[in-house]
Amino acid sequence: MTVAGFAAVACDEAVWALGVDEVGIAVGTSLDSVWGLVGATGPLVTAIDDEQLRLGIGPVPDALRLGGVHGAPDLHSVRVIDHHAAFLARGATRLGVGAVFAIGLQLPTGTPAALHLVRRTPGAPIDDDAVHVHAKNVGVAIARDIDLRLMHGAAGDHWIDRFVVGRDATSRPHVGDSLTRRLRVVAAVDMVVTAERIDHHDALARLRGYGFRDDRPLSDLAELVLSGDVAVDDLMR
């Protein structure tokens, strides 16, 4: 999974300059605490991003909602307990993640976005000022890619089509298209809202709770709900 050209280069530069192992770009959807990872320099950031989505807790959803920098610099030590580490530590240990950070990005579309930083070992990035500089660089690079996409087009499918142009998020995902699978979570939440006449926050909480009890990824559960293999009534019990 890669972002367009300028943003991909900016992400690679951030990995080298900030002393982290991998970075990704998270872009918010119409639903709070559901986002798409539109770019990743490796599998580690993708895995811990999935864990944050499953729980609805972590630096990424906080950065998307509030902006600024959020982090859990030590996911290994039992002596370090914060609201991120308390929930992420188990999954992080299994995945081999020692620290995770996110910083809000400014996009010209107004869409919430965040730069996602991951380290295998505990510890903060090299320099706080450098984190802000590279977050700004990535934001500018994304803006350049969006401009090129909207002005000149490009061959094939692209995340900008779905987040900026507004392609139908309820269509069946391509095989291996994790971004569309994230958008299908939004469609499943909409289905629960319509069926049960509850708000989106409660519907998403029901999905997360069911998935947590069943040890099932949120995107997999969304597909089962949309296909009817999991009844909406089952989520409400």
Side-chain angles (χ1 to χ4, degrees):
M1 178 170 50
T2 59
V3 291
F6 292 117
V9 171
C11 285
D12 288 339
E13 291 175 347
V15 169
W16 177 83
L18 298 178
V20 296
D21 292 297
E22 294 179 10
V23 305
I25 298 172
V27 177
T29 69
S30 59
L31 187 61
D32 285 346
S33 83
V34 175
W35 64 92
L37 193 67
V38 302
T41 64
L44 200 65
V45 68
T46 300
I48 196 64
D49 190 80
D50 285 340
E51 186 72 2
Q52 291 176 83
L53 181 76
R54 183 175 77 91
L55 298 173
I57 292 172
V60 169
D62 280 2
L64 290 172
R65 181 170 56 92
L66 302 171
V69 181
H70 303 267
D74 188 349
L75 293 171
H76 287 178
S77 175
V78 295
R79 296 187 302 273
V80 179
I81 298 297
D82 60 30
H83 76 288
H84 291 149
F87 290 95
L88 292 178
R90 182 176 179 181
T93 299
R94 173 174 50 84
L95 297 170
V97 174
V100 60
F101 305 87
I103 178 171
L105 299 175
Q106 297 292 323
L107 299 187
T109 59
T111 307
L115 185 64
H116 193 177
L117 312 173
V118 173
R119 290 188 64 179
R120 291 184 174 87
T121 56
I126 289 176
D127 182 87
D128 287 344
D129 290 337
V131 169
H132 285 87
V133 168
H134 282 276
K136 181 178 180 179
N137 290 345
V138 171
V140 170
I142 294 172
R144 294 180 69 187
D145 287 325
I146 291 174
D147 285 343
L148 288 175
R149 177 65 176 175
L150 297 181
M151 291 175 60
H152 304 293
D157 195 21
H158 196 285
W159 71 267
I160 292 172
D161 295 323
R162 282 164 281 180
F163 279 91
V164 179
V165 179
R167 180 170 295 180
D168 183 11
T170 64
S171 62
R172 292 290 298 180
H174 302 298
V175 175
D177 187 347
S178 59
L179 176 56
T180 302
R181 287 172 61 81
R182 294 282 182 93
L183 293 174
R184 295 274 287 176
V185 172
V186 178
V189 169
D190 286 341
M191 177 181 286
V192 176
V193 167
T194 300
E196 298 296 328
R197 297 186 178 181
I198 59 177
D199 64 29
H200 285 78
H201 176 80
D202 288 342
L204 181 56
R206 294 284 184 173
L207 278 174
R208 281 201 167 103
Y210 189 99
F212 187 80
R213 293 192 304 270
D214 205 35
D215 194 25
R216 190 184 299 274
L218 191 61
S219 55
D220 289 354
L221 177 58
E223 289 299 324
L224 293 174
V225 171
L226 291 170
S227 67
D229 292 326
V230 169
V232 172
D233 287 346
D234 292 339
L235 302 176
M236 308 306 293
R237 294 172 183 168

